[in-house]
């Protein structure tokens, strides 16, 4: 039995009766379920990039955007984006913002709060509406920093919600 959305593109049995059958199945495009976008894929507007994060330092770097991009084409549906970050600012301090921007502008935004222990995360839920004509530009995930404490911006995990 084929999985849902799959169709048979070709089905034949050996003409001389050798006892085998060839079935070629065409599988439906599977929508994105979950992907982690490493920080190395993002554009860096501010701070120092490494292989695992981008670090902006108080007194050295200017407050503002740290990372943005990568301009993904997303299918219609509901998504959850989670940013990994760390700040050495006092626990509970607002150190910046994380937002999702699409062809029509910002669709979701949240503050980045410094954690009392270890790394923090910021999570946004957003909808991608069907469009008659796909808009150029795609979807981007942006981080902004207000200059309070140092900040390390990491990967974004994108999950398509059922």
């Amino acid at each position: 039995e084929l999985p849902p959305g799959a169709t048979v593109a070709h089905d034949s049995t050996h003409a001389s009766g050798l006892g085998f059958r060839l079935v070629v199945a065409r599988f439906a495009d599977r929508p994105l379920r979950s992907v982690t976008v490493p920080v190395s894929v993002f554009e860096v507007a501010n701070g120092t990039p490494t292989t695992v994060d981008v670090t902006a330092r108080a007194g050295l770097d200017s407050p503002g955007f740290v990372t943005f991009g990568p301009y993904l084409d997303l299918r219609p549906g509901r998504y959850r984006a989670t940013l990994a970050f760390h700040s050495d600012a006092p626990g509970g301090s607002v150190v910046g913002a994380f937002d999702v921007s699409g062809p029509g502008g910002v669709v979701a935004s949240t503050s980045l709060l410094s954690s009392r222990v270890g790394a923090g995360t910021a999570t946004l839920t957003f909808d991608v509406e069907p469009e008659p004509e796909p808009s150029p530009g795609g979807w981007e995930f942006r981080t902004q920093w207000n200059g309070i404490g140092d900040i390390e911006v990491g990967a974004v995990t994108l999950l398509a919600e059922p």
Side-chain angles (χ1 to χ4, degrees):
E1 186 174 334
L2 295 174
T7 58
V8 175
H10 179 79
D11 187 350
S12 65
T13 304
H14 190 271
S16 300
L18 293 178
F20 70 87
R21 179 178 177 193
L22 173 67
V23 177
V24 178
R26 179 173 294 123
F27 293 93
D29 289 338
R30 301 198 93 188
L32 166 78
R33 179 71 182 123
S34 177
V35 64
T36 297
V37 184
V39 75
S40 60
V41 173
F42 290 87
E43 298 292 329
V44 176
N46 194 10
T48 304
T50 69
T51 56
V52 294
D53 63 31
V54 174
T55 302
R57 300 196 184 283
L60 179 64
D61 295 304
S62 299
F65 284 101
V66 177
T67 59
F68 61 96
Y71 306 102
L72 301 174
D73 289 325
L74 298 177
R75 293 176 181 214
R78 175 160 280 207
Y79 293 86
R80 185 177 335 137
T82 302
L83 169 72
F85 75 97
H86 177 265
S87 174
D88 66 358
S93 300
V94 174
V95 296
F98 172 51
D99 70 41
V100 178
S101 181
V106 175
V107 296
S109 180
T110 190
S111 295
L112 298 179
L113 297 175
S114 180
S115 173
R116 292 188 195 329
V117 291
T121 60
T123 300
L124 296 171
T125 300
F126 65 99
D127 294 315
V128 174
E129 301 297 333
E131 296 180 297
E133 295 273 332
S135 300
W139 292 83
E140 69 173 321
F141 308 95
R142 307 181 309 179
T143 57
Q144 296 178 54
W145 170 61
N146 61 14
I148 297 174
D150 296 350
I151 190 169
E152 298 165 358
V153 175
V156 170
T157 300
L158 184 62
L159 173 70
E161 294 190 339

